[in-house]
Amino acid sequence: MPVWCCRCSLAGHFRNYGDSETEGEIYNSLVQYFGDNLGQKVKAMPLVEETSLLEDSVTLPVVVIGNGPSGICLSYMLSGYRPYLSSETIHPNTILQSKLQEARHLSLVDQDLEYLSEGLEGRSTNPVAVLFDTLLHPDADFGKDYPSVLHWKLEQHHYIPHLVLGKGPPGGAWHNMEGSMLTISFGNWMELPGLKFKDWVTSKRRNLKGDRVMPEEVARYYKHYVKVMGLQKNFRENTYITSVSRLYRAREEDGGQEGAIPAQHLQMEKSKFIKRNWEVRGYQRVAGGSHVPFALFAENVVLATGTLDSPARLEVEGEDLPFVFHSLPEFGAAVSKGKLRGKVDPVLIVGSGLTAADAVLCAYNNNIPVIHAFRRRVTDPSLIFKQLPKKLYPEYHKVYHMMCTQSPADSSPLPGYTSFPEHRVLSFKSDMKCILQSASGLKTIFKLSAAVVLIGSHPNLSFLKEEGCYLGHNSGCPITCKGNPVEIDAYTYECVKEAHLFALGPLVGDNFVRFLKGGALGITHCLATRQKKKHLFVERGGGDGVA
């Protein structure tokens, strides 16, 4: 299959280009992207076979895989937007305020993030995420609504060329979420730097009740954000990644030849090869449904895919039967189309998280009887419901109350809902029956109208070797947000087990938008620091003049 590809080092300055390109023109956009000089090289590139490599082509400094809020926020900062301490506000944490004052003339990107993060606590395990959230939303976890202590400046000389690749429009998975449910976070926690969500949503609808919003509004906000911040030139939609792999170069004493080295040679003679840049292959869907393959080359790759690609499965008999759903939108569509209306047999909902709670509410509000099965105890302190204030999340606490009190042993169960804590599914049968088993081993058979399995999800990292498992804290298990996130450096977000590969957002355990923004800060700080060192190296005569 023929593809075009581009690979080499960058030199000189880069100019911006217009946004008038049509779908499928990643090739043409790179010609514009790298200016007239490099553009002539790209234009002259012939189509090559997938196994071929060109010796004189273009390498991007950064390719970001995923165009949700993680990728958007990173693009914003790589585009030269820099956060500074505002002179109009004072942080309630006096120690942090004092630290910020020490270097107020510097942007946050140019400061010591480890020093600033020291001693801070928050609802993320990543210190830079806690730091950035603390600066953007001071004392938010205490119910305060203090203004951010940061203000933003666009410094175009800090622009780092990059592309953000996504399957759909900017906003990622937010465009696929159930539109009738309220977000778990406040609207202002969903916002990205430089554009207040409340100001934007107020301009779109007159009646703004409460602080929580619909996912479809958040999705439209992210799409608008990319446009209003002038980031469109960095984004490519309808792109699907098929492989991300390392290129290797033979050491100079062995001829210095660069290319794709067979795996068996690497295993036998690793000392003879030097890791080089990344090769990113995939295809772009264009008008008419055809696929245009591409190959990009990058010095750094950022994983910003989120974790909603592949719903987690029970791995039990009959799970692939047509009456078993694995996503809330799929179930919601069946309800909307009236497929379950008037059914006597209940819907089985499996799971104890917020998505499962949304499914319970969806069914219950449409008068569809529910059997709710989950493996945890209702007193389990790790249940998400125990972390949500009742006044702010009444609907979820309603579900939690139902989970606690409506069991088969109750003398007066709630009509239309039955809770089965500490139960697991043994199998689904083709006659639409299901077998549940309790912790004590008791089995119960139910006749169902449908089943909805909502027990979490996994990211799709099939484009990486070992599907990315080797990047996790537990290298033998799939990457998950809670159980096995990607192992990263705490302050740079670079993967511990793979240099020049970064990850942020749910992949590193930050499921909430308010915390994923710290990943963008950490990565930008790291890349900017390395860029300065490279330029200093060249200026001192230690390099070949290529930045």
Side-chain angles (χ1 to χ4, degrees), residues 131-398:
L131 167 66
F132 208 27
D133 179 69
T134 299
L135 298 174
L136 292 170
H137 307 289
D139 285 355
D141 286 333
F142 298 103
K144 306 297 184 181
D145 190 21
Y146 294 135
S148 168
V149 299
L150 301 177
H151 71 102
W152 294 82
K153 295 180 182 179
L154 175 57
E155 300 175 344
Q156 293 183 335
H157 60 285
H158 287 314
Y159 179 80
I160 299 176
H162 61 282
L163 282 181
V164 183
L165 309 179
K167 297 176 182 177
W174 284 92
H175 290 279
N176 302 321
M177 291 185 186
E178 176 59 39
S180 62
M181 304 299 175
L182 291 173
T183 61
I184 188 64
S185 297
F186 296 143
N188 65 328
W189 289 358
M190 316 303 294
E191 70 188 19
L192 298 179
L195 180 61
K196 287 188 175 296
F197 183 85
K198 183 176 264 187
D199 294 344
W200 176 84
V201 79
T202 302
S203 70
K204 300 300 177 184
R205 58 182 169 111
R206 295 179 180 176
N207 299 320
L208 186 62
K209 296 180 179 180
D211 292 312
R212 293 168 62 206
V213 293
M214 300 288 189
E216 62 182 271
E217 291 178 307
V218 178
R220 284 190 281 115
Y221 164 79
Y222 291 143
K223 189 174 181 180
H224 176 75
Y225 182 93
V226 168
K227 182 177 180 181
V228 77
M229 293 299 175
L231 307 179
Q232 303 104 309
K233 62 182 176 291
N234 305 314
F235 282 74
R236 298 295 173 271
E237 300 179 18
N238 304 310
T239 55
Y240 296 77
I241 307 303
T242 55
S243 72
V244 174
S245 56
R246 263 292 173 77
L247 296 176
Y248 290 82
R249 177 172 61 82
R251 296 185 183 276
E252 290 185 6
E253 59 267 27
D254 297 311
Q257 184 176 1
E258 183 168 324
I261 308 298
Q264 59 269 31
H265 290 179
L266 284 176
Q267 292 299 322
M268 291 186 295
E269 303 177 284
K270 280 187 177 180
S271 61
K272 291 187 177 182
F273 300 106
I274 303 172
K275 283 185 177 181
R276 291 285 291 171
N277 297 321
W278 293 97
E279 179 189 61
V280 181
R281 288 186 179 268
Y283 61 88
Q284 185 174 37
R285 283 184 176 172
V286 296
S290 59
H291 294 175
V292 178
F294 65 83
L296 295 171
F297 297 88
E299 296 175 18
N300 303 280
V301 170
V302 179
L303 303 176
T305 61
T307 61
L308 296 177
D309 290 307
S310 304
R313 296 172 60 86
L314 297 168
E315 303 297 344
V316 299
E317 176 190 347
E319 194 170 1
D320 290 321
L321 289 168
F323 69 90
V324 182
F325 303 123
H326 287 84
S327 75
L328 185 58
E330 191 180 17
F331 174 60
V335 173
S336 299
K337 293 175 182 177
K339 293 183 178 180
L340 302 173
R341 188 175 298 124
K343 296 285 187 181
V344 176
D345 297 322
V347 167
L348 170 67
I349 296 173
V350 183
S352 59
L354 296 178
T355 307
D358 284 337
V360 170
L361 290 169
C362 178
Y364 191 75
N365 293 336
N366 283 276
N367 298 314
I368 299 170
V370 173
I371 291 174
H372 188 189
F374 46 96
R375 300 187 67 167
R376 297 188 187 185
R377 304 186 312 276
V378 293
T379 55
D380 190 327
S382 65
L383 284 174
I384 185 63
F385 307 100
K386 293 183 175 293
Q387 303 173 33
L388 305 178
K390 289 184 179 181
K391 290 184 178 180
L392 298 178
Y393 305 97
E395 76 279 29
Y396 289 128
H397 278 275
K398 175 183 176 181

